Structure formats: C-alpha cells, structure tokens
Amino acid sequence: MIQEIIVTTTNKDGTTHIAPMGIREEAGEIIIAPFKPSATLDNILRNNTAVINRIDDVRIFAGCLTGRKDWPLSAAEKIEDFRLQAALSHVELQLESFEDDDLRPCFYCKPVHEVTHRPFKGFNRAQAAVLEAAILVSRLHMLSNEKIDQELEYLMIAIDKTAGENEKIAWKWLIEKIEIFRKESLKDKSV
Ligand SMILES: Cc1cc2nc3c(=O)[nH]c(=O)nc-3n(C[C@H](O)[C@H](O)[C@H](O)COP(=O)(O)O)c2cc1C
C-alpha cells in the first residue's frame, strides 16, 4: 500500500524543501523512494532525517507542482527538520538504511516521533481527484493530450459534486499549469 504524503527535508542553506511522495510502511519502517536526481534524495543523504506530513489541504500537493512552495512550517520536536503546520499528523524519521539504485533509490527510515494535530474528517472525492490530477501534471511530458483530457473529464465530476474551496483552488492551479504546458509545447513546435 502506498500513501501520498508531503516529505519535508532540510536544504544545505537551512531552508525547508517540500515534495509530494508516495511512501510505504514495512515492518515498522517507512520507505521513501525519490527518483534521481532530487533535492529530497540529497537532503536525506546529507542529514539522515526527514518528516512525513499527512495532509487534507490538497492545495499543498497542487502548489508543489505549480511553483507554490511557501507553506507555513513549525519546527519538528526530535529532529532538526520542519513540518507543515497544515499536517493532520506528522512523523519524524531517522534514516536506518539506504538502498541505492540508478533510477529510484530507497530510504528505510525509523519513526522517532509521531504527533496527531487534527482529526481525519473522512474521505472526499474532490481531494482524491486533485491528487490524481497532480499526478497527471507530474507526467505531462509522458502523456498525450487525449489521455489527459479524458482523465480530467472524469475527475471533474468529483470536483463539481464534492469540492470545497481548497479543492477548487488546487484544481484551478493544476488546470492552469496544463494550459501553460500546452501553449509552451505549441511554441516549441513552431520554432
Ligand atoms: C501524489 C504524488 C506522489 C509523488 N510521489 C513521488 C515519489 O514517490 N517519488 C518521487 O521521486 N517523486 C514523486 N512525485 C513527484 C515529486 O513530488 C516531484 O518530482 C518532486 O519535485 C521531487 O523532486 P525534489 O525532491 O527534487 O523536489 C510525486 C508527485 C505527486 C503529485
């Protein structure tokens, strides 16, 4: 089972790096698998720590893919990193072992501290739709326009029927990103 969360790590200059990632749990360890190259990979290798943030504000997923990475942070308690203030819960991680790979290395991490800040309010279809759209946006270079339009048309149903304000904003950011990508691809072709 893969859970989509936000990983926060610390950059060389002390600022916090925010990235959506899919993580797995195995025998009490949390596995983070960033593709190469990535700031998350470099930061965990350098610091041996990371925080996973479980959120329901899907603007943060959409924001990370559309250049909006400035989200309020609080200091973690047992490690040197920061967590998202929006986290429903967060887990502070210490690196246990590293499995290198040319494409996608794996970090096996031990949870050293976990805090629940707010309750989970239940599933929301629009939040799931934003997550799916965020994944489409992260793969724009690999997918045809037809495939993207077909998926968006289906995901729109959940947005129309069940979105709150945050989901509508997140959806708008992602659609704008797709439109910009398409305009730029047309420009590249005409050159
Ligand atoms: C829901 C979701 C899950 C993702 N999961 C992963 C992942 O497990 N590994 C990864 O390398 N990138 C994943 N991505 C893409 C990264 O968030 C994105 O490429 C990011 O910029 C990582 O690189 P960075 O650490 O340099 O920022 C995911 C994106 C989304 C929207």
Side-chain angles (χ1 to χ4, degrees), residues 57-63 66 68 125-137 148-160 163-179:
D57 183 347
V58 287
R59 291 177 309 164
I60 304 175
F61 281 107
T66 59
R68 298 167 173 95
R125 291 175 58 201
Q127 287 172 357
V130 168
L131 209 61
E132 291 302 324
I135 293 189
L136 288 177
V137 166
I148 292 166
D149 288 341
Q150 194 186 355
E151 301 256 331
L152 289 178
E153 194 183 336
Y154 178 70
L155 295 172
M156 258 308 271
I157 300 169
I159 297 292
D160 285 343
E165 211 42 50
N166 286 349
E167 292 72 29
K168 285 180 193 161
I169 292 167
W171 183 261
K172 185 170 149 271
W173 289 347
L174 294 170
I175 298 297
E176 280 168 3
K177 172 87 179 193
I178 294 169
E179 284 166 0

Side-chain angles (χ1 to χ4, degrees), residues 4-23:
E4 310 299 345
I5 53 83
I6 304 286
V7 181
T8 44
T9 53
T10 305
N11 297 315
K12 229 176 183 168
D13 64 3
T15 56
T16 295
H17 184 75
I18 297 178
M21 298 259 154
I23 56 157

Side-chain angles (χ1 to χ4, degrees), residues 13-188:
D13 64 3
T15 56
T16 295
H17 184 75
I18 297 178
M21 298 259 154
I23 56 157
R24 286 178 290 135
E25 259 184 77
E26 221 174 81
E29 285 189 321
I30 292 191
I31 304 164
I32 305 175
F35 286 102
K36 274 186 181 172
S38 97
T40 303
L41 175 74
D42 297 344
N43 288 346
I44 301 179
L45 279 176
R46 194 177 52 256
N47 305 326
N48 292 331
T49 57
V51 177
I52 63 167
N53 299 266
R54 305 178 183 121
I55 57 165
D56 64 357
D57 183 347
V58 287
R59 291 177 309 164
I60 304 175
F61 281 107
C64 285
L65 289 150
T66 59
R68 298 167 173 95
K69 291 197 154 201
D70 196 11
W71 299 96
L73 301 166
S74 292
E77 291 168 30
K78 308 278 186 205
I79 57 174
E80 294 294 311
D81 302 315
F82 281 73
R83 66 160 178 98
L84 291 170
Q85 280 180 15
L88 298 179
S89 66
H90 83 272
V91 188
E92 298 174 18
L93 302 175
Q94 187 73 45
L95 180 61
E96 286 275 284
S97 59
F98 175 63
E99 205 174 84
D100 204 1
D101 182 80
D102 287 344
L103 197 67
R104 199 173 186 186
C106 278
F107 291 110
Y108 294 80
C109 302
K110 184 173 81 173
V112 291
H113 190 55
E114 176 161 3
V115 187
T116 299
H117 307 280
R118 280 183 282 281
F120 170 62
K121 289 187 181 164
F123 296 106
N124 172 255
R125 291 175 58 201
Q127 287 172 357
V130 168
L131 209 61
E132 291 302 324
I135 293 189
L136 288 177
V137 166
S138 74
R139 295 180 185 161
L140 285 177
H141 292 91
M142 294 178 249
L143 300 171
S144 68
N145 285 351
E146 292 71 33
K147 168 81 178 159
I148 292 166
D149 288 341
Q150 194 186 355
E151 301 256 331
L152 289 178
E153 194 183 336
Y154 178 70
L155 295 172
M156 258 308 271
I157 300 169
I159 297 292
D160 285 343
K161 288 189 174 163
T162 73
E165 211 42 50
N166 286 349
E167 292 72 29
K168 285 180 193 161
I169 292 167
W171 183 261
K172 185 170 149 271
W173 289 347
L174 294 170
I175 298 297
E176 280 168 3
K177 172 87 179 193
I178 294 169
E179 284 166 0
I180 292 166
F181 174 82
R182 285 183 178 172
K183 272 189 199 140
E184 280 171 1
S185 320
L186 280 179
K187 251 194 253 162
D188 289 347

